[in-house]
Each structure stands twice: as structure tokens, then as C-alpha cells.
Amino acid sequence: MSIAAAKQSSKTGWIAGLMLAVLFVFSLCVGVGDMPIIRLFSDGRVLELLLVSRLPRTLAAILTGAGLAIAGLIMQTLARNRYVEPATAGTAQSAELGILLVTLLLPSASLLFKSLAASAAALLGTTLFLMTAHRLPPTQPFLVPLFGLVYGGVIGAAVTFVAWQADLLQYLSVWTNGDFSGVLRGRYELLWLGALMVVIAWIVADRLTIMALGRDASIGLGLDYARMLQLGLVIVSVISALSVVVVGMIPFVGLVVPNIVSRLMGDNIRGTLPFVAASGAILVLGCDILGRLIRHPYEIPVGTVMGCVGGLIFLWLLFRRPSHV
Amino acid sequence: MPDRRLLCLAGAALLCIVAFMTIGLRGNIGFVLALRAMKLAALLQVSVSIAVSTVIFQTVTNNRILTPSIMGLDALYLFGQMLLVFLLGGLGYAALDAQLKFGGEIIVLMALATGLLLPMLRRRTDMGLMLLAGIIFGILFRSLHSLLARLIDPNDFAVVQGASFANFNDVRTDLLAFAAILTIVGIVIAWRARHVLDVMALGADTATGLGISWSRTVTGLLLLVSALVAVSTALVGPVAFFGLLVVALAERVVDTRSHAALMPAAMLTAVIILVGGQALFQHALGSSSTLGVVIEFVGGFAFLVLLVFGSRK
Amino acid sequence: MNLRTIAAFAAFAFSALPAHAVDILTAKGLVQIAVSPTKIAVLDIAALDTLDRLGIKPAGVPQKLYLPQLEPLKQGAEIVGDLFEPDLEALSALGPDLIIVGGRSSTKASATAQVVQTIDMTMDGDDLVAQAKERLAAYGVLFGKTAEAASAVEELDARIKAAKAAIAGKGNGLIIMTNGPKVTAYGPGSRFGWVHAALNLPAAVPDIEAANHGEAISFEFIAKANPDWLLVLDRAAAIGSGEQGAKTTLDNELVAETTAWKKNQVIYLPAAEFYIAAGGVQSIQRVVATIAEAFTAAR
């Protein structure tokens, strides 16, 4: 990395960090309950509200955002295609199918067990996607996202069909639109497992960068390609499944964030990973705050807000700076 | 020999129509036949609109992967509808005549679609960008639709959710006559433009070289596509992969991209799948609202198989 | 050929017979019914519930009845589709004299009217109880059961009077619905507003917008509203799936701070009766009884 680029990246880092910090504090202050900051330590109820409701919700948004952005980044590396993400390539839909089946077969299963089932289903679905996607001719790169889109649609149709048969369609709506309104202390902690996955991604970041060069090149450089592929799949599946289980599906994050960051900073994963995570967190947290404010004191799901805000930002970026690819 | 193949397709389509009208008849035969005829008219319009709009759209965008619904046009229609409700809500939008509303919605869609897509097509950007923008448009309009729905009637899951799958069982018969005029005019225009479309398929530069005003033709064709998409979405709702499946299958059957053969083949294929499927599911199996889901499932799956095995040749 | 014209013409032809014609009050105003119907198809759970109280057995019923108490109605009756999608061909095969729609099926009134005269008996909002009595009276006249209808009204009035007495002076209430982990709130004027209006229960948050489907809220909202009573509807239970009960959703540190939770004043309403069969006379009685019982037990 050149000195100018390094300077640029440290400046971007400061901006991202500052924005996240501001949103973090702001998020703690936005909610229905009265929470005068001055009485934070004098009034036990204020502190209680902060710890029970605001902090968990803020953390959940940050963890989900960072996780989904990283999952998108890794998915794009594995598929060697910029236009795939867990929500559009069958991962999230597979996770839904997993939860649905567990709900039908073992209604009394614990949340952890459901997450495990969802992760396993997501893993299966994503593996199948990548195996098939690799058979597509590399000369037509747009076939891969298209394949992912149809693939996700097919699994989604299966989910709807099963839910419809079992009269669970209403309940399904809880997962198909991400929403943080139910997040409280004790109801989001599974998301920290997603944070663990982000840390693992950080540790293997250099190897992921090499993977982006393709199978033959990376084996030539001495990389255990198959092992790395498995690891990447596990990271993507676990993160997607956890966020589907805890808060529901949030579109866009995995697609938008890595694309913007790579436009700004290039493709060295070790260098961009923290920014991808931070930008994902900023985006999701910002959208959740908006969702809390638009119809205050009532809520608008973060999935809906994200669809609008994320979409507009992305289209603007897309057409302001035409692709040089 | 596309002619003989077209005849076979036409025969199969006719068979499906007969099956749709006759299987499981009971009760007041005259009434049920009239009921089925209405539904058949709607299904035929939907088939034809989706087939023709997809073929034209693929030719205009010069690829076989994009369809109006993948580019989010049906989501755009639903959004436009919601926008009208939102803007005109105070003026008693609900009390307006259904056909008048439909007319307004079509104009809104035509304006939005042309305004958004034309600059993209003019720029002649690469495939990846188009596809990406298409995905984004789709999600964006669905989200805006659901956001507006919440602002109008908060938390009405029925409003927000009902739009995810087409329902072929519950067609809007009140729009039938108006939609029929639009569909017929649309087909006539498309048919008369078949040779122009063949030239357009050669690419913007070649078409311009051969003396076609590319920009004006594309604008006209996009308007036509939006009107047809509005017809099918208004009658039954969004159908994500149906158009893709129909045109891909039809292309394999007639084995040509010549519009004189491809357009009728796509229409007939759509009729066979939609009317035949409805005959099978509703009249033979007695299951009411599953066809939409099954078409998406089977259609998507068949397409995946075609994509993987077709491209390995 | 225009079916609606035929139906309208047929209705007109029948109405020309003055013999048994009666005017009854529906959600769309007064409607003239030509003859006392003997074979009816009903596509509304609340109407089925009220008709069941009067001992009337419809010839056509929807696929899913939601209330176990209504299940016997299926015996000997034809299935004529579901609430959202009436099966017009099955209806035509059945050939009823009259079709009753309401609530969820009310938008299908014009479709079923192609088969035979259809009345819309929808009930909604703050006046639900008054409307339920109107419907009772209408069915009484229509099926020649005025005496039963009158006694059913008396029974209902007595129940409501008892409930009002039990509720008076015991604090305010908040109606919420849980759908999995999510919560929605309802106020006066909403589809559940009749609980506030008919039973004189003060609302903990009086200005929740009168939206039919309620407002999405967070648990902080419940904590801030701090109602004396929480009236809970478990939507998953109402549509027949037992997944994640309302109790699990509400059992958290924020709801625990409310007076309602502390004093154990949380009422789980009979879900299908409250949500789907809203306005059915037996359903109202069961809902009112549940509320009255809880309030009577409180000191």
C-alpha cells in the first residue's frame, strides 16, 4: 500500500470510527422510555433502561450490521463475484427453511438449537450454491448473481409453500423483515457468536485475499484452498443464520457495503475488513434509529428502512461514479 | 422448422384451454362456464402480456437474462399504485372508478419506468451494472411500497405481504375489458414491430447504422413493455421468474431469436404453463391458491437446470 | 354475458314477490331479502358463531372454522372455500338461497353475489357490541327466531353489565397483540376498541392512532405506558399455531416493571374468539367473561 493510500485509509478510518461512535451514543438516547442523561447514575431506573433495552438494541444493530457486511464480503470472495450476498444467493432463505422445519418438527426446541439448525441449513444451501455456481462459465460473470437470485427465489418459494401448508405464513413474516423492536438483554446474545466469526475472518483475512485470485492461483501460492473454502462457508452461514434467527432478514447490507468500500479502498481484505465491518454497523444502526424516529413512539422495521435508504444511497453511488471494470 | 413447432405449441395450448374449461364441471354449468371464461380471459391476457413484454425487454436490453420483473418493473407498478393512494388519499382515491385508477397507475408506471431505465440504456453500461441496478431497484421499490403501506395503514401485514406472490385464482375481473384493449393494442404494435425488433437485437450501433432511430424506438418499446407489465401485475400480481422461464423455454422450442417466431412461441408457452397449470391445480387437484408458488418454484428450478447444463455445452 | 346483471335481474324478479320479503340491517345498510332462506352459505366466523347460538345450521361453511366449538357445523355441510377465497364453483354447485359474508370475506361480496344474493354482516370498531346485537336481531327476523335472538341479547347485556361492574375503579388497560417476538398496541377506535368503549375500561394510552392493525411498538413503550392491566392477544394462537407463546415474549425485565405484571394483572384473551370471530355473540360472551373473571379476582 502506498503512503498516500495509507493516509487516505487512516483518514477514512477516523471518519468511520467517529460516525459509529456518534450513532452509538445517539442510539442510546433514542427510544420511547424517558431517559434524562443527567440522571444516569443518580436514578437507578435510568441506568436499568439503558442496560436492559438501549444498549442491547444498539449492540444488536452493530453486531448484525458488521456481521452481514463481512458475510457479504466473504461470499463475494468465495463466489469471485461482486454481486452476490447472503440475502440474494439462498443463504438467508436456507436458514429460514431450517428454522421452519425445526418449528414444525420440534416446536419446543430452544433458540440455540434453532440457530444450529438454521446454520446447518444455511451451510448446506450456500455450499450447493457455490458448487453449482463454479460450474457456470466464467466468461459470463453476470450469470452467477442471476443464478443466486433464482436459487434464492426457489428456496424462498419452498419456504412459502411449506409455511402456507402449515398455516405459518403470518409467523414467517417475522423473519422475512428484519426488526430490532423485540431486542432486550437476554434476547440478542447469540449475535456475539457472529462477532466471533468476524474475528476469525480478520485472522484469515490475508488468505481470503489470496482466495480472491481463484482456485488455481491460490493453490499455486501454497494455500489449502478446500479448507479455506469450508471455513469461509461456515463463517457466512453462521452469521446469516444467527441474524435471521435473532432479528430477521435485512437486505442490502452484504451487497452494498463491500462494494462501496472496495470502490473507495481497493481489494486487500486485511486492509478493508475493519471498514467493511464498521460501515455495515453504521448503515444498520442508522437505519434502525430512523425506524425508531419516523413514527415515534411506534416502530418501522429496520428491513424496510434499509431497503429504502440503502437502495437510494447505492443507486446514487452507482450512477455518480460509473464502473471502470 | 419453426412453423410446425408453433403448430404443435398451439395445439397443446388449445388442449390446455379445453381442459381448463371442462375438468370438474359441476353445479350450474352455464354459470360455471361463464365464470371460467372470465378467468380464462384474464389468464390469457397475463400470459400474453408477460411473454411479449419479456421478449421485447430482452431485445431492447440486448441480453437474455434480464426480464421486466427482475429489473423490478412489477415492484415499481405496486409502488406507483401505493404512491397514488398516498398522494390522493385525502381526495377519496378509494372512491374513484377502478378503470380510471388503473389508467392513472399505468401512466405513472410508464413515466417512472421510462424515466429510470432510459438513461441506463443510453449509457450502455455493462451487464453486471444493469443486473445489480435491477436487483437494487427491485428491493428499493418493494421496500418503499411497504414503507408507504405502513404510513397509510400501519402494520397492515396483509397489504404489505399480499404482494409477494401472484394469485391466479382471484383475478381482478373488473379491469378485464380495459386490460383486454391494452393487451390487444400491445400485441398488434409488437407484431408490427417484429422486423424492427430483429434489427434492434443486433445492438444499438448496428441498428443505428441500419437507419433506425435507436433512442426513439427504445422509448416507444419501453412504454409498451411498461403498459403490458401493468396489465399483468394489475390482474394477478407480481410473477418473478415466469417471464424468464417462458421465453427461455420458447427459445429452446423454436430455436431462433427471430421475433416473428419467438413472440408467438413465447405467448403459447405462457398459455400452456398458466392455463394448463391452473386446470391441473384448481380443477383436477382442487387446490386453490398454490399455483403462483408452484410456478415460481418449478419455473425457478427448471431455469437453474437450463442455466447450468445449457451453458456447459 | 354479464353475470352481475343476471344476478341483479334475478334478485329483482324475486323481490317482485311480496309474500315474505323482509328488510334487514347489514353492514351496507338495509337490504331486502325476498324469502326466508332455508339453505345458506356462511363465509364469516362471527356470523357462524351467532347463527350457531340461534340454532341455525348453514349448508355451506368455510374450510377452516378456527373455533373448536364450531367444528360440529361441518358435519353434513359443504366446504365452500376459505375466508379469503370463496370457491365460487362449489357455491354454485351447492345452490344456496343466501350467502353471508363479513370481516375478512367482505371484499368477496361482489364475487359471491354472482352466485346468489349476498349480505355483508361485517362488524368492527368501538360499536362492535351494538352491531353484534343488530346482527342478532336481523338473523332473528330473517330465520323466524326472534324470541331466541331477544334472549341472546338479554344474556349478552347481563354479561356486559356484570363485567362493567367488575372493571369499574380498578385502573386502566392496554390491549396488545404478540406475533412471535413482536408486539403491537391497540387503542380506542381500533378493531379491539370495543373493549374500552363497551366495558368502560380506561385506556392506558388514549391516543394510539385508530389503525385497524394496531401500531408496532417496543417493550419500552409498554414500560412507559405502565398500564394497570395488560390484555394480551396471542396472534399465533389465533391462527392455530402454538409457536412461542405470548407469555414467553412478554416475560422480560421491561414488562416486569409495569403495574399489570407486578400485580399479576395480565389477561390472556381467548385468541380465536377475540381476533377472528370478533362480534360473534358467543365469542363476545367468552371474551367478556374472561375479562370479568380476572377483574373480579383482583382486589
Side-chain angles (χ1 to χ4, degrees):
Chain A
M1 203 186 281
S2 72
I3 295 169
K7 244 185 196 162
Q8 170 72 24
S9 112
S10 95
K11 196 176 142 208
T12 321
W14 275 109
I15 295 173
L18 195 68
M19 272 177 78
L20 191 56
V22 168
L23 281 179
F24 182 86
V25 174
F26 191 50
S27 166
L28 293 181
C29 301
V30 175
V32 178
D34 299 313
M35 214 191 72
I37 299 286
I38 335 139
R39 296 219 309 272
L40 184 57
F41 296 102
S42 58
D43 186 344
R45 292 231 309 277
V46 174
L47 188 64
E48 179 77 3
L49 187 67
L50 186 77
L51 293 179
V52 171
S53 172
R54 300 288 166 79
L55 191 63
R57 184 167 184 161
T58 307
L59 288 175
I62 291 176
L63 291 174
T64 314
L68 286 177
I70 297 297
L73 177 70
I74 294 175
M75 190 95 170
Q76 285 158 23
T77 311
L78 298 185
R80 299 192 62 204
N81 193 296
R82 282 210 181 287
Y83 307 125
V84 292
E85 69 145 349
T88 59
T91 309
Q93 288 84 355
S94 306
E96 273 188 14
L97 192 60
I99 308 177
L100 192 62
L101 291 178
V102 174
T103 307
L104 286 176
L105 301 175
L106 292 168
S108 56
S110 70
L111 201 60
L112 188 67
F113 186 80
K114 273 188 197 162
S115 315
L116 277 177
S119 304
L123 190 60
L124 207 68
T126 318
T127 311
L128 196 63
F129 167 70
L130 282 182
M131 273 169 52
T132 332
H134 278 235
R135 303 175 76 156
L136 294 168
T139 45
Q140 290 171 290
F142 55 84
L143 277 184
V144 176
L146 175 75
F147 183 83
L149 206 65
V150 183
Y151 179 77
V154 167
I155 300 176
V159 171
T160 313
F161 187 70
V162 174
W164 186 76
Q165 293 285 342
D167 230 331
L168 280 173
L169 213 49
Q170 310 266 359
Y171 192 70
L172 190 69
S173 70
V174 174
W175 303 318
T176 44
N177 204 350
D179 186 352
F180 290 106
S181 68
V183 170
L184 287 178
R185 183 162 76 194
R187 293 197 180 170
Y188 80 104
E189 281 75 1
L190 272 174
L191 290 174
W192 286 106
L193 278 177
L196 185 70
M197 292 295 139
V198 174
V199 172
I200 294 176
W202 164 250
I203 294 170
V204 299
D206 290 331
R207 274 171 271 180
L208 283 171
T209 311
I210 296 174
M211 274 192 88
L213 301 173
R215 188 193 151 87
D216 296 338
S218 28
I219 292 176
L221 285 167
L223 188 79
D224 186 346
Y225 187 81
R227 173 74 55 83
M228 277 307 296
L229 191 66
Q230 286 162 5
L231 184 66
L233 278 170
V234 168
I235 295 176
V236 169
S237 307
V238 170
I239 290 178
S240 316
L242 286 175
S243 57
V244 167
V245 169
V246 179
V247 297
M249 247 200 241
I250 304 178
F252 254 133
V253 190
L255 190 66
V256 172
V257 173
N259 271 297
I260 296 175
V261 173
S262 100
R263 246 159 224 258
L264 295 174
M265 312 185 59
D267 287 329
N268 179 326
I269 294 183
R270 166 85 59 181
T272 59
L273 196 133
F275 300 107
V276 171
S279 313
I282 290 171
L283 192 61
V284 171
L285 187 58
C287 284
D288 183 45
I289 293 175
L290 267 183
R292 274 181 265 171
L293 287 176
I294 296 175
R295 281 182 63 77
H296 189 82
Y298 314 114
E299 304 254 343
I300 290 180
V302 69
T304 305
V305 181
M306 177 65 77
C308 304
V309 174
L312 288 174
I313 295 175
F314 192 56
L315 285 176
W316 177 68
L317 271 172
L318 209 60
F319 290 105
R320 195 184 61 116
R321 297 165 171 246
S323 169
H324 300 294
V325 182
Chain B
M1 284 225 281
D3 283 352
R4 191 179 294 167
R5 290 177 198 169
L6 276 181
L7 276 180
C8 287
L9 278 180
L14 206 62
L15 214 63
C16 287
I17 290 174
V18 172
F20 178 83
M21 291 301 288
T22 52
I23 293 178
L25 275 183
R26 63 193 173 127
N28 180 349
I29 303 289
F31 170 75
V32 173
L33 279 181
L35 194 68
R36 288 189 179 186
M38 291 266 242
K39 213 181 265 179
L40 180 67
L43 291 179
L44 290 178
Q45 286 186 34
V46 170
S47 313
V48 166
S49 311
I50 290 175
V52 173
S53 63
T54 307
V55 169
I56 296 179
F57 195 74
Q58 293 192 348
T59 298
V60 168
T61 54
N62 207 7
N63 78 92
R64 286 143 203 224
I65 304 298
L66 292 180
T67 73
S69 41
I70 287 185
M71 290 299 285
L73 270 193
D74 45 8
L76 184 61
Y77 171 77
L78 294 174
F79 165 67
Q81 201 175 23
M82 195 54 87
L83 195 68
L84 277 182
V85 178
F86 189 68
L87 295 178
L88 305 177
L91 302 172
Y93 177 81
L96 284 176
D97 178 58
Q99 311 201 344
L100 197 69
K101 269 193 273 191
F102 185 43
E105 285 155 17
I106 290 178
I107 293 169
V108 169
L109 178 71
M110 283 177 158
L112 287 177
T114 322
L116 285 171
L117 290 175
L118 205 57
M120 279 171 68
L121 289 174
R122 275 234 182 83
R123 220 181 255 236
R124 290 171 215 175
T125 37
D126 64 300
M127 210 44 248
L129 191 67
M130 285 281 277
L131 186 63
L132 190 60
I135 299 172
I136 309 299
F137 272 131
I139 305 176
L140 177 66
F141 298 137
R142 264 183 284 278
S143 302
L144 281 172
H145 173 257
S146 105
L147 187 71
L148 281 184
R150 271 170 197 275
L151 292 178
I152 295 163
D153 187 2
N155 272 331
D156 197 333
F157 289 111
V159 175
V160 179
Q161 244 195 331
S164 57
F165 274 109
N167 185 346
F168 300 111
N169 199 38
D170 185 26
V171 291
R172 292 277 307 274
T173 40
D174 53 338
L175 299 176
L176 219 49
F178 191 40
I181 299 171
L182 264 178
T183 316
I184 292 171
V185 171
I187 301 173
V188 171
I189 297 176
W191 181 251
R192 292 181 60 159
R194 63 191 186 279
H195 302 301
V196 178
L197 281 167
D198 284 340
V199 179
M200 294 294 285
L202 301 173
D205 297 333
T206 320
T208 313
L210 289 170
I212 283 182
S213 160
W214 188 84
S215 204
R216 236 176 56 203
T217 318
V218 165
T219 313
L221 289 172
L222 273 182
L223 289 173
L224 178 60
V225 167
S226 347
L228 289 174
V229 167
V231 167
S232 85
T233 317
L235 287 177
V236 299
V239 278
F241 299 119
F242 184 57
L244 200 67
L245 172 74
V246 163
V247 177
L249 283 176
E251 210 180 328
R252 257 149 235 272
V253 173
V254 294
D255 215 9
T256 167
R257 197 69 202 178
S258 151
H259 288 80
L262 185 61
M263 277 200 294
M267 289 187 225
L268 291 170
T269 313
V271 170
I272 293 170
I273 293 177
L274 209 51
V275 178
Q278 190 70 358
L280 180 71
F281 274 92
Q282 198 191 355
H283 299 155
L285 302 177
S287 161
S288 52
S289 52
T290 37
L291 182 69
V293 183
V294 172
I295 283 191
E296 292 303 283
F297 187 71
V298 176
F301 194 75
F303 188 75
L304 291 184
V305 172
L306 285 177
L307 203 62
V308 172
F309 292 97
S311 55
R312 277 203 305 156
K313 267 186 222 161
Chain C
M1 211 179 293
N2 192 332
L3 293 166
R4 229 171 282 168
T5 322
I6 300 176
F9 186 75
F12 176 73
F14 276 118
S15 69
L17 302 167
H20 307 281
V22 286
D23 283 332
I24 65 158
L25 191 59
T26 72
K28 302 270 159 69
L30 279 179
V31 169
Q32 191 174 57
I33 311 253
V35 280
S36 179
T38 49
K39 196 176 184 188
I40 57 167
V42 180
L43 284 160
D44 177 35
I45 305 298
L48 278 173
D49 185 49
T50 300
L51 290 171
D52 184 48
R53 170 67 183 78
L54 298 177
I56 295 155
K57 210 171 167 324
V61 295
Q63 173 70 39
K64 209 165 172 216
L65 295 176
Y66 299 95
L67 295 179
Q69 292 88 341
L70 296 179
E71 217 44 48
L73 290 180
K74 264 191 183 169
Q75 279 162 11
E78 240 353 90
I79 304 292
V80 289
D82 59 34
L83 298 182
F84 297 100
E85 276 179 25
D87 184 342
L88 294 185
E89 295 187 10
L91 277 171
S92 156
L94 178 69
D97 316 318
L98 181 72
I99 299 172
I100 298 175
V101 297
R104 284 142 199 263
S105 62
S106 66
T107 53
K108 301 292 176 232
S110 62
T112 59
Q114 295 173 330
V115 178
V116 73
Q117 184 176 16
T118 299
I119 51 174
D120 181 354
M121 298 303 249
T122 303
M123 294 165 268
D124 208 1
D126 280 1
D127 284 335
L128 190 89
V129 174
Q131 288 171 19
K133 289 186 209 162
E134 279 169 21
R135 302 288 176 266
L136 252 174
Y139 295 138
V141 172
L142 192 57
F143 298 101
K145 302 240 181 190
T146 33
E148 281 95 332
S151 79
V153 168
E154 266 171 43
E155 216 177 278
L156 183 63
D157 281 338
R159 270 278 161 76
I160 287 177
K161 203 174 160 202
K164 269 184 182 166
I167 286 169
K170 290 199 178 144
N172 59 28
L174 177 67
I175 307 172
I176 55 171
M177 175 167 86
T178 63
N179 188 26
K182 296 182 187 178
V183 186
T184 338
Y186 294 83
S190 72
R191 64 191 298 170
F192 302 136
W194 65 272
V195 173
H196 293 297
L199 304 180
N200 290 345
L201 174 68
V205 188
D207 56 349
I208 297 177
E209 271 179 50
N212 204 29
H213 277 259
E215 292 278 5
I217 53 165
S218 58
F219 295 111
E220 280 187 29
F221 185 94
I222 303 179
K224 192 185 177 194
N226 191 18
D228 300 314
W229 291 84
L230 261 180
L231 288 82
V232 183
L233 166 72
D234 187 345
R235 180 165 177 169
I239 54 168
S241 62
E243 169 68 12
Q244 195 177 5
K247 209 167 197 161
T248 338
T249 303
L250 293 177
D251 188 5
N252 63 57
E253 291 160 287
L254 285 179
V255 176
E257 281 177 16
T258 61
T259 313
W261 195 270
K262 279 188 201 145
K263 294 174 77 177
N264 202 15
Q265 302 191 133
V266 182
I267 308 173
Y268 297 96
L269 298 165
E273 276 91 341
F274 193 50
Y275 185 61
I276 293 172
V281 64
Q282 304 182 75
S283 293
I284 294 187
Q285 288 193 23
R286 282 200 285 272
V287 170
V288 171
T290 310
I291 297 175
E293 200 181 314
F295 271 89
T296 314
R299 271 159 291 145

